[in-house]
Amino acid sequence: MHRGSPDETTADRHPDRDPGPDPRRFAGIILVDRRGWILLQERDEFPRIDPEKWGLAGGHVDPGEDFEPAAHRELEEETGVRLPGNGLRLFREFVVDHREAYGTWDVMQVFAAATDLADADIDCREGRQIVFVDPTVARGLDLGSAATEIVPAFLDSDLYASMAP
């Protein structure tokens, strides 16, 4: 089982995934509830990236914006959830496959936080639903291109183990 560190990127493990000198940047967020279930978004048919698939809450990092503030912004925009400024922990940086949408490999930093929130506290503002999913079920969902790598890596990580009961 691979337990990556925040300093290790997907590019370190897959040198064929070169995002180039100026990649698109994305921030993803995984919340872990008291049961150890993880927050995932079922995307609808409209997004350019991974329509009709399951993935993380998150999105584009704006020009001049850092990854962590973008993660907080995206979480609030998509779910209505506002975490304390120090509420997120960096899980890892990934080079993600957006070749179908943009023709590129892009960079995504994934952040995580333990939470006392439940589905009723989540305001789905994007996609079909944003809900906490049992980790066993999450592994079997029709995940988007980035989530296919990120979700199992997170569930197998020391960070997840420290947040799950």
Side-chain angles (χ1 to χ4, degrees):
M1 166 181 337
H2 177 74
R3 296 196 189 271
S5 72
D7 297 330
E8 181 182 46
T9 68
T10 307
D12 294 331
R13 293 183 309 283
H14 302 282
D16 57 317
R17 298 182 184 187
D18 180 8
D22 190 27
R24 284 179 185 79
R25 299 176 312 137
F26 295 83
I29 306 95
I30 302 174
L31 298 183
V32 180
D33 75 6
R34 290 179 179 207
R35 301 167 295 178
W37 292 24
I38 61 171
L39 190 71
L40 293 176
Q41 176 194 57
E42 182 183 15
R43 298 170 69 83
D44 56 27
E45 67 274 17
F46 301 112
R48 186 171 185 176
I49 298 171
D50 296 327
E52 310 275 358
K53 304 273 185 181
W54 286 84
L56 309 182
H60 291 86
V61 176
D62 291 335
E65 187 178 34
D66 289 330
F67 284 97
E68 187 171 356
H72 281 277
R73 176 183 52 74
E74 286 286 344
L75 181 64
E76 186 172 2
E77 287 176 4
E78 294 182 7
T79 68
V81 171
R82 175 177 253 173
L83 295 177
N86 62 351
L88 292 175
R89 292 178 56 190
L90 176 62
F91 167 51
R92 203 160 75 205
E93 182 172 288
F94 293 82
V95 175
V96 295
D97 184 359
H98 288 162
R99 291 177 294 172
E100 190 171 315
Y102 298 119
T104 57
W105 291 97
D106 297 321
V107 174
M108 175 183 265
Q109 285 190 2
V110 177
F111 296 85
T115 186
D116 292 333
L117 297 172
D119 287 340
D121 302 310
I122 305 299
D123 180 10
C124 180
R125 299 176 177 178
E126 187 174 301
R128 284 202 182 93
Q129 60 179 326
I130 302 176
V131 294
F132 289 95
V133 179
D134 179 304
T136 304
V137 172
R139 290 180 189 271
L141 291 174
D142 187 12
L143 298 170
S145 59
T148 297
E149 180 175 3
I150 294 167
V151 168
F154 179 72
L155 292 172
D156 292 338
S157 73
D158 291 333
L159 180 56
Y160 171 71
S162 76
M163 295 179 176

